[in-house]
């Protein structure tokens, strides 16, 4: 990425993630800033329309974050105290927090040892009379086994709210994530995600009535947005019909999203290419396992994860630190399963051993840089560094 010259030799630096921002975004933001309309106005509408078209979804509702998208989805469904929502044990804490925001109980299910996606068998085991919804997370950008999850949801009359924070542009059996006719799908545009607006999120749904509630829920529960009011015959009139939030996306963020969306497919293709290159370079290295991609999916590699085995020359943590010395940024998804985070442990009393596969993932995996700004030299540097660190002589 950046080459720092020191002591007569070049030290390469490869950041773990880097957003792809061009002059187009700079110009677009400056036009919004001087337009006099800064928040959830015409640009948000345009971004929502373009995003829904991209996903082949009927409705798209922009929010202030991926977390807000998930929260609005649960709130719009009326999930509340007494309800249970099944979520994977291995995920960003937001997936579980939103359930608690509603006063409901997150019920954790362990993940599949190959893809680290929520395991449908583990979901089925945890369905009770109180279960109202499942939040499958398309971990790393690889879609979950959706046919099986949809079947379980149908059998038990459950909603599916997809957490697609890692999976914008991903596909399941030829269909875009966001277009699988689940209850809703939630995306995140945080800077490390496959496209960014700084902070931001999006919900897609096919359900007209639910979309209408979500629209109001993200903006105080008010019946008309400021833009709708200006355009209406009674611009002064509005009503508050529910306890909504201020979870709106700004027009400043939306216009960045519009620019990013145009480059999404190309950026994802580069991630996929990078992943392939890394796998080809690393699959024969002793002591690590490269990611497993299932048939019938388009995995968009928000995360490229390797697994360090017990017989590797270095432990997982040693390898992370050695890579850091070589200025290669890495990350761990996630350092603990959510139920073992101190807050959740205290709340629900979970212990080590309750979620063995999620725990093993926390202890043995390393996410390597895979973002679209990596050059072939960066990738070669990552591969040769790992080879050197793990070779036995
Ligand atoms: C990033 C992320 C979120 C939260 O999205 P924000 O936009 O940061 O609020 C939720 N779930 C998963 C799996 C994520 O990676």
């Amino acid at each position: 990425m950046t080459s720092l010259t020191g002591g007569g030799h070049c030290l390469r630096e490869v950041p773990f993630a880097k957003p792809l921002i061009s002059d187009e975004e700079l110009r677009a933001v400056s036009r919004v800033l001087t337009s006099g309309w800064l928040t959830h106005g015409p640009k948000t509408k345009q971004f929502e329309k373009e995003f829904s078209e991209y996903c082949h979804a009927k409705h798209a509702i922009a929010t202030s974050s991926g977390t807000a998208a998930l929260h609005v989805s649960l709130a719009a469904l009326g999930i509340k105290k007494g309800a249970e929502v099944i979520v994977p044990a291995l995920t960003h804490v937001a997936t579980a927090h939103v359930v608690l925001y509603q006063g409901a109980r997150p019920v954790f299910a362990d993940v599949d040892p190959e893809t680290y996606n929520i395991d449908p068998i583990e979901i089925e085991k945890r369905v009770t009379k109180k279960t109202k919804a499942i939040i499958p997370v398309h971990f790393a950008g690889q879609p979950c086994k959706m046919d099986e999850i949809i079947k379980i949801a149908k059998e038990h009359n459950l909603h599916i709210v997809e957490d697609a924070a890692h999976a914008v542009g991903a596909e399941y059996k030829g269909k875009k994530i966001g277009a699988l006719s689940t209850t809703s799908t939630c995306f995140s545009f945080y800077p490390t995600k496959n496209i960014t607006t700084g902070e931001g999120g999006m919900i897609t749904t096919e359900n007209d009535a639910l979309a209408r509630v979500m629209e109001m829920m993200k903006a105080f529960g008010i019946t008309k947005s400021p833009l709708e009011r200006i355009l209406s015959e009674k611009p002064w009139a509005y009503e508050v019909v529910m306890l909504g939030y201020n979870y709106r996306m700004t027009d400043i963020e939306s216009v960045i999203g519009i620019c990013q969306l145009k480059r999404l497919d190309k950026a994802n293709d580069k991630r996929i290419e990078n992943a392939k290159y890394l796998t080809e370079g690393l699959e024969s290295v002793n002591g690590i396992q490269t990611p497993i991609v299932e048939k019938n999916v388009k995995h968009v590699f928000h995360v490229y994860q390797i697994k360090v085995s017990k017989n590797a020359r270095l432990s997982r943590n040693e390898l992370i630190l050695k890579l850091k010395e070589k200025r290669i940024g890495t990350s761990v998804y996630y350092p603990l399963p959510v139920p073992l985070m101190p807050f959740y442990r205290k709340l629900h009393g979970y212990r080590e051993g309750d979620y063995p596969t999620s725990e093993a993932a926390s202890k043995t995996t390393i996410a390597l840089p895979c973002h679209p700004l990596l050059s072939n030299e960066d990738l070669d540097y990552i591969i040769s560094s790992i080879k050197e660190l793990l070779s036995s002589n």
Side-chain angles (χ1 to χ4, degrees):
M1 181 87 336
T2 320
S3 293
L4 300 172
T5 312
H9 64 281
C10 255
L11 256 183
R12 187 169 283 278
E13 184 173 6
V14 189
F16 175 66
K18 195 169 182 200
L20 196 75
I21 300 289
S22 75
D23 287 349
E24 200 194 345
E25 277 91 334
L26 297 182
R27 285 195 299 271
V29 166
S30 108
R31 277 197 299 274
V32 173
L33 288 176
T34 51
S35 75
W37 193 297
L38 301 190
T39 192
H40 79 132
K43 292 300 171 193
T44 305
K45 282 286 148 225
Q46 186 187 339
F47 185 33
E48 289 175 334
K49 181 164 179 289
E50 291 179 8
F51 195 87
S52 68
E53 285 165 3
Y54 176 82
C55 286
H56 310 287
K58 193 162 177 199
H59 301 279
I61 297 121
T63 56
S64 53
S65 70
T67 308
L70 288 164
H71 185 199
V72 162
S73 287
L74 298 187
L77 290 172
I79 299 220
K80 55 177 193 282
K81 192 164 190 284
E84 293 178 353
V85 178
I86 298 175
V87 304
L90 192 71
T91 182
H92 187 295
V93 71
T95 319
H97 272 9
V98 294
V99 180
L100 288 178
Y101 293 167
Q102 286 302 108
R105 185 184 175 92
V107 173
F108 297 98
D110 209 355
V111 296
D112 176 284
E114 294 202 328
T115 61
Y116 300 123
N117 270 327
I118 191 165
D119 184 343
I121 296 166
E122 295 297 315
I123 295 177
E124 187 113 54
K125 280 191 208 161
R126 284 171 173 77
V127 176
T128 71
K129 284 200 184 93
K130 292 180 182 167
T131 312
K132 294 282 182 251
I134 307 165
I135 311 183
V137 176
H138 304 302
F139 188 86
Q142 168 150 253
C144 294
K145 291 193 167 70
M146 290 309 291
D147 280 350
E148 291 168 49
I149 295 171
I150 289 167
K151 187 164 166 273
I152 295 168
K154 280 209 173 114
E155 262 168 35
H156 301 277
N157 198 21
L158 309 174
H159 289 289
I160 298 175
V161 174
E162 292 168 72
D163 181 341
H166 295 183
V168 58
E171 292 174 20
Y172 179 75
K173 299 198 171 168
K175 273 193 181 170
K176 278 258 152 58
I177 292 300
L180 298 183
S181 298
T182 51
T183 306
S184 70
T185 306
C186 301
F187 298 89
S188 163
F189 307 131
Y190 186 76
T192 59
K193 305 288 158 81
N194 290 26
I195 56 172
T196 186
T197 58
E199 294 277 0
M202 191 75 81
I203 312 168
T204 60
T205 183
E206 300 304 299
N207 184 320
D208 299 341
L210 201 56
R212 182 70 191 127
V213 175
M214 288 167 170
E215 276 291 340
M216 291 190 273
M217 193 67 89
K218 76 161 189 192
F220 305 111
I222 287 176
T223 48
K224 274 192 234 165
S225 75
L227 187 62
E228 285 167 333
R229 261 185 267 154
I230 286 180
L231 300 172
S232 82
E233 284 175 11
K234 293 183 192 167
W236 64 88
Y238 69 79
E239 290 176 313
V240 176
V241 293
M242 65 185 74
L243 180 66
Y245 302 88
N246 181 359
Y247 280 167
R248 298 171 300 196
M249 181 180 274
T250 67
D251 264 22
I252 305 163
E253 290 160 333
S254 300
V255 85
I256 300 173
I258 292 166
C259 299
Q260 294 267 306
L261 190 58
K262 282 189 238 166
R263 268 185 260 122
L264 171 60
D265 281 340
K266 229 175 126 193
N268 276 345
D269 286 348
K270 181 70 166 86
R271 282 179 183 272
I272 293 165
E273 226 175 81
N274 291 348
K276 200 167 158 230
Y277 196 94
L278 286 170
T279 293
E280 276 165 10
L282 294 172
E283 64 192 347
S284 61
V285 177
N286 265 339
I288 58 172
Q289 195 185 312
T290 51
I292 292 166
V293 182
E294 300 216 290
K295 285 196 199 93
N296 297 324
V297 302
K298 180 177 177 183
H299 182 336
V300 291
F301 285 99
H302 170 57
V303 177
Y304 180 93
Q305 228 179 4
I306 56 169
K307 190 155 91 184
V308 183
S309 39
K310 280 206 186 78
N311 64 10
R313 210 176 74 85
L314 296 176
S315 74
R316 193 279 305 264
N317 293 354
E318 285 168 342
L319 185 55
I320 290 175
L321 294 174
K322 291 283 183 197
L323 289 170
K324 188 169 175 233
E325 277 172 22
K326 291 182 174 287
R327 297 168 165 271
I328 296 173
T330 61
S331 188
V332 172
Y333 288 75
Y334 292 86
L336 276 176
V338 178
L340 295 186
M341 290 288 182
F343 171 72
Y344 280 89
R345 242 187 227 250
K346 250 195 226 151
L347 196 69
H348 290 154
Y350 291 113
R351 291 183 203 172
E352 267 96 19
D354 288 346
Y355 297 95
T357 313
S358 299
E359 257 182 72
S362 293
K363 288 180 183 146
T364 62
T365 65
I366 304 179
L368 300 175
C370 193
H371 59 84
L373 289 169
L374 295 173
S375 65
N376 276 0
E377 290 74 37
D378 293 328
L379 293 164
D380 285 334
Y381 179 58
I382 297 169
I383 293 166
S384 62
S385 300
I386 292 175
K387 275 186 173 163
E388 179 199 314
L389 290 168
L390 293 183
S391 71
S392 39
N393 35 47

